[in-house]
Amino acid sequence: MNAFGTRVNRVEDTRLLTSGGVYVDDLRVPALIGAAYVTFVRSPVAHAVITGIDTSRAKAHPGVVAVYTAADLTDLPAPQPFRRPEHGEGFFAEPLLAGEKVRYVGEPVAVVLTDARYDGQDAAELVDVGYERLPAVVGPAQARLDDTLLFEEAGTNVADQRDRDTDDTAVFADADVVVEREIANHRVACVPLEARATAAAFDGTRLTVWHSSQNAQRCRGTLAEILGIPSDAIRVIVPDVGGGFGAKIGIDRDAIVVAWTAWKSGTAVRWAEGRAENLVAMSQGRAQLNRVRIGGRRDGTITAYCLDVVQDAGAYPRTSTLAPVTCTMAPGVYDIPHVRTGYRVVVTNATPVNKYRGAGRPEATAAVERAVDLFAAEIGMDPAEVRRRNLIAANAFPFRTGTGVRYDSGEYEAALDRVLGAVDYPRLRAEQTARRDNGCVNVLGIGICVYVEMTGGGGETAKVIVDGDGQATVLTGSSAQGQGHQTAWSMLVEAELGIPMDRVTVVHGDTDLIPRAVGTYSSRSLQLGGSAVLKAASEVRDQARRHAAGLLGAPVTDVVLDTGSGTWHAAGDLGGSVSWAQVVKYAEVESISADVEFHSDRPTFPFGAHVSVVEVDTGTGTTTVLRHVTVDDAGPVLNPVLAEGQRHGGIAQGIAQALFEEVSYDGDGNPLHATLADYRVVASADLPDFELEAGATPTDANPLGVKGIGESGTIGATPAVQNAVIDALAHLGVRHIDMPLTPSRVWAAIKEAGGESLSQR
């Protein structure tokens, strides 16, 4: 594979930056001509019994096509409840539309169809919903009390729990030092550039759904199950997608309702939510309360680590994986003899939580990396040295962790040394000391994070077709939301078949063309989708070799494909060659193709090290990121342009969580983040130029040797920045500050630690 390491500009960007992408709300296809516009009626209260819904005024409003409530959905199968795995109970079902009770601000209770887009809000305001308010459960600490129950029939707000009754006293028996702290990994919003959007049309036989999603095939399967119609009666098309970050995996309940309205009414429909609606109604991320307990010897050796996770699921537990993944990845990059984990999943009167870039792995890393810094501070040792003494050795791989996970490959100490060398760590520590000695208001902080994450695993499909013109088409199960699949798959085809990239077309996200697929999430695209493309291209090459041999009059074993020119010739006979077009024509077929599925029996484990250098103004609490240097090792790099783009985006999101972003609620469950004026997203002016160091440790889990890169930045950056800010203030007595590290929160920590005198200089 000579394509690896080649810097190739993204071929999809010409279209995206000139004519522009075609997103769901841009669609002007014949089936959607005259489509009705969907507007949701959403609950303005966090927790209430619905005493009645009167739609008569809305139905009489000019331009209204239909109004639907939960009463109209009774012919659909009952929603499946979240089930506790250990004993099968399930009491936490999420309705498509709330009919008896609402459990978060923004929960849909009715849907209005109108002829004109902007009539929808007027008509929605005419739907009269009666609410009998109930006390709100805000945050996991309140949920655990069970004073107010979201689901009375469950008898508890704990939807699931595991391994919480284990006595961990014995594992700390030999520790000289034990540090314990509760750490909040706060709730964040996804904020994709393109909010959620769905369009649908039913012709009496087939339902066609256009949806902004990360996997069309999962959408189709979910729709078939809920609507009770065969999968082959549904076509799902995913056009351009303006960001997913995990929150667009499959199809959520609002979009299912949109599709149902088309199926029910026979009217084509379309829906694109606004930003305010998106901020309260789209699933959110993180939202964990973690208690860490770490112990070891004063020589820096960590002997035991315990992590107890409380996952705030929001109003409905939409996923069962976040807390278990956090527990699975709890020990991170460290060779710790004793590791104990346990978790609870609780429901609260907040927007439901689901997967968000990293999905359980950033939370695990944030917990253990803060724990290591707390341990280092307690024994008075440099945090870099504590890490070095406890990292899993390079010669120990494959390595089985204390939670039973098999890490495939890693060079953790080399990554740490590389990033510390890049920032000139001793010089930074000297500068930090000098600033403190001189009483500077602007203090320096250096934060370190060494991380490992889990990506991929499972399978993906691909079909490669070479036609009579010598052009290639790739039908891929991977679904792009900006990753650069067109570029990457074209590079693989060119390297394997010699067909130039500009003669390769990549198609994704259409269940009629690609009925079997898994889609894009968990940083799986190149290692699984790319391996499937490589496998399909290789099979096409093997088929074509036989036809080329017949055309050239040479033995099959003597026929060679020159990938530089894309021509076939007999070995040693460079004068006589044939093109792909000639080979296909000779084969007397329209095309030569291969339809494959690639499967990997295990995930991969990318890793890396981040160092963030910050300056904190102790007078205002304002943090400025001066430098952010990273090693993100995801194996061999196919295209540095694509890999660096993924790293840049992830680092920016990671820094944003550490410093700015936070979803918050008042005591009644009202969201305090309903606009981007209230929800602080990162801007380019907030960030330095990222300094990216190389790392390329291969895996044996796939033929490309690659691991996932898409989520690494969010995993490594957040704890590095958090550790840096706390490190900057350590001399003032600050030991911990929960994220986000806003100026007010930082200033309050300085004051509480007794650092007012410095902040007033």
Side-chain angles (χ1 to χ4, degrees):
M1 290 301 302
N2 57 11
F4 270 81
T6 306
R7 299 189 71 89
V8 177
N9 289 334
R10 291 165 45 105
V11 298
E12 48 268 270
D13 287 354
T14 299
R15 176 181 64 86
L16 293 172
L17 295 173
T18 54
S19 61
V22 178
Y23 304 92
V24 170
D25 203 31
D26 299 322
L27 291 169
R28 298 297 181 266
V29 296
L32 294 177
I33 293 175
Y37 291 88
V38 172
T39 303
F40 282 94
V41 178
R42 298 189 179 276
S43 171
V45 297
H47 197 195
V49 173
I50 297 175
T51 59
I53 304 177
D54 184 352
T55 62
S56 58
R57 288 198 303 152
K59 289 178 177 178
H61 188 71
V64 170
V65 176
V67 181
Y68 297 112
T69 68
D72 299 299
L73 301 171
T74 55
D75 58 335
L76 297 183
Q80 290 297 308
F82 181 91
R83 295 191 177 275
R84 296 173 178 167
E86 71 273 19
H87 50 72
E89 293 178 352
F91 298 106
F92 301 89
E94 180 178 6
L96 293 175
L97 294 174
E100 299 177 355
K101 193 176 185 183
V102 293
R103 295 181 173 90
Y104 66 96
V105 172
E107 183 167 7
V109 297
V111 62
V112 177
L113 276 59
T114 56
D115 289 326
R117 181 192 297 266
Y118 298 108
D119 287 341
Q121 192 58 47
D122 292 338
E125 291 176 359
L126 296 176
V127 176
D128 185 16
V129 185
Y131 297 103
E132 182 181 311
R133 291 176 180 262
L134 299 170
V137 177
V138 181
Q142 188 176 354
R144 287 180 294 180
L145 299 176
D146 283 339
D147 290 341
T148 299
L149 299 178
L150 272 68
F151 297 83
E152 290 85 354
E153 63 275 20
T156 179
N157 289 322
V158 179
D160 187 19
Q161 60 180 332
R162 301 274 188 90
D163 304 324
R164 298 210 63 260
D165 299 325
T166 303
D167 183 1
D168 58 21
T169 304
V171 303
F172 292 99
D174 297 331
D176 301 329
V177 174
V178 178
V179 183
E180 186 172 5
R181 180 174 286 276
E182 193 169 76
I183 298 172
N185 200 302
H186 60 291
R187 178 186 287 257
V188 295
C190 178
V191 201
L193 285 175
E194 179 201 20
R196 296 179 299 170
T198 307
F202 182 56
D203 63 6
T205 303
R206 295 193 83 201
L207 175 66
T208 302
V209 178
W210 296 263
H211 183 50
S212 183
S213 174
Q214 296 176 220
N215 34 15
Q217 294 74 18
R218 179 179 288 196
C219 296
R220 183 184 61 173
T222 301
L223 284 168
E225 178 182 357
I226 290 182
L227 299 182
I229 59 179
S231 291
D232 58 9
I234 303 173
R235 180 184 186 185
V236 175
I237 301 171
V238 173
D240 289 318
V241 176
F245 310 121
K248 291 183 180 177
I249 294 174
I251 186 167
D252 59 21
R253 292 183 178 271
D254 294 3
I256 293 169
V257 170
V258 174
W260 173 84
T261 62
W263 181 66
K264 176 75 172 180
S265 67
T267 301
V269 298
R270 56 196 316 155
W271 169 64
E273 69 179 351
R275 183 59 62 189
E277 185 179 21
N278 176 264
L279 283 170
V280 299
M282 187 180 198
S283 66
Q284 297 168 351
R286 308 292 186 249
Q288 284 187 3
L289 189 61
N290 297 324
R291 178 160 290 278
V292 298
R293 194 176 185 201
I294 188 168
R297 297 192 290 269
R298 291 196 176 276
D299 66 0
T301 304
I302 300 171
T303 58
Y305 176 63
C306 294
L307 173 65
D308 183 68
V309 178
V310 182
Q311 176 68 62
D312 179 356
Y316 302 97
R318 288 182 175 175
T319 178
S320 61
T321 62
L322 297 182
V325 167
T326 298
C327 290
T328 295
M329 298 303 296
V333 294
Y334 303 108
D335 187 354
I336 304 174
H338 303 289
V339 180
R340 298 280 179 84
T341 66
Y343 69 84
R344 279 171 290 186
V345 178
V346 299
V347 289
T348 63
N349 292 121
T351 302
V353 167
N354 211 326
K355 298 176 178 67
Y356 172 71
R357 201 169 189 173
R361 289 102 78 198
E363 296 89 328
T365 301
V368 73
E369 288 300 292
R370 278 301 303 134
V372 170
D373 261 30
L374 289 165
F375 176 72
E378 187 67 24
I379 65 173
M381 184 176 288
D382 186 283
E385 182 58 27
V386 172
R387 285 172 169 81
R388 182 177 286 105
R389 294 188 183 195
N390 293 280
L391 291 172
I392 299 166
N395 62 5
F397 291 91
F399 180 85
R400 185 75 62 178
T401 73
T403 57
V405 180
R406 180 188 182 274
Y407 291 171
D408 50 1
S409 61
E411 296 183 357
Y412 302 159
E413 187 172 357
L416 175 62
D417 288 342
R418 191 176 303 124
V419 78
L420 292 177
V423 297
D424 195 350
Y425 188 65
R427 182 191 64 77
L428 284 175
R429 285 297 181 197
E431 181 183 347
Q432 181 186 61
T433 300
R435 289 198 188 196
R436 291 174 176 176
D437 291 346
N438 293 331
C440 290
V441 172
N442 294 322
V443 292
L444 196 69
I446 306 117
I448 304 169
C449 170
V450 187
Y451 73 90
V452 60
E453 71 143 328
M454 177 172 56
T455 65
E460 192 52 276
T461 62
K463 185 175 184 178
V464 173
I465 306 165
V466 179
D467 64 23
D469 294 326
Q471 300 188 89
T473 299
V474 177
L475 303 178
T476 175
S478 298
S479 190
Q481 310 107 50
Q483 294 90 339
H485 291 170
Q486 171 77 43
T487 303
W489 295 179
S490 297
M491 290 179 69
L492 292 173
V493 169
E494 182 176 47
E496 189 69 13
L497 302 182
I499 298 173
M501 288 179 62
D502 60 3
R503 291 176 64 80
V504 179
T505 300
V506 176
V507 178
H508 72 91
D510 186 331
T511 58
D512 274 9
L513 299 176
I514 309 156
R516 297 177 299 107
V518 178
T520 298
Y521 58 89
S522 192
S523 301
R524 67 196 312 279
S525 292
L526 182 57
Q527 56 187 310
L528 299 176
S531 293
V533 171
L534 177 65
K535 181 180 179 181
S538 178
E539 291 190 11
V540 167
R541 180 173 175 156
D542 290 344
Q543 293 178 46
R545 178 177 280 108
R546 297 193 297 271
H547 299 299
L551 183 58
L552 292 166
V556 171
T557 54
D558 288 349
V559 173
V560 177
L561 174 62
D562 180 0
T563 55
S565 63
T567 57
W568 296 88
H569 63 84
D573 182 10
L574 301 181
S577 62
V578 294
S579 67
W580 272 101
Q582 291 173 302
V583 170
V584 174
K585 182 178 180 180
Y586 176 81
E588 298 182 340
V589 293
E590 290 186 3
S591 62
I592 299 174
S593 66
D595 192 348
V596 307
E597 180 173 358
F598 172 80
H599 184 82
S600 177
D601 61 358
R602 61 188 188 278
T604 60
F605 294 87
F607 65 93
H610 286 215
V611 171
S612 196
V613 183
V614 306
E615 186 176 75
V616 179
D617 184 337
T618 56
T620 65
T622 301
T623 297
T624 302
V625 181
L626 302 178
R627 296 179 67 187
H628 197 91
V629 186
T630 83
V631 172
D632 298 298
D633 191 323
V637 175
L638 175 63
N639 183 347
V641 173
L642 301 181
E644 289 165 8
Q646 289 295 297
R647 293 170 73 183
H648 285 159
I651 294 166
Q653 280 183 282
I655 293 175
Q657 183 188 356
L659 295 181
F660 308 120
E661 296 190 38
E662 181 179 28
V663 169
S664 56
Y665 295 85
D666 68 15
D668 294 320
N670 297 309
L672 304 176
H673 58 276
T675 72
L676 290 180
D678 306 306
Y679 188 85
R680 172 80 155 84
V681 294
V682 71
S684 58
D686 299 316
L687 303 171
D689 289 335
F690 303 140
E691 302 169 51
L692 308 182
E693 297 293 317
T697 306
T699 181
D700 60 357
N702 60 74
L704 297 171
V706 299
K707 309 178 185 184
I709 193 64
E711 294 158 298
S712 293
T714 58
I715 295 169
T718 303
V721 173
Q722 184 181 21
N723 285 342
V725 174
I726 297 167
D727 176 72
L729 305 173
H731 65 299
L732 302 178
V734 174
R735 290 292 174 263
H736 180 76
I737 311 172
D738 276 326
M739 301 181 292
L741 300 157
T742 58
S744 60
R745 187 168 289 177
V746 171
W747 188 85
I750 294 171
K751 185 176 181 181
E752 183 180 351
E756 304 100 317
S757 59
L758 177 59
S759 66
Q760 292 169 2
R761 292 183 186 180

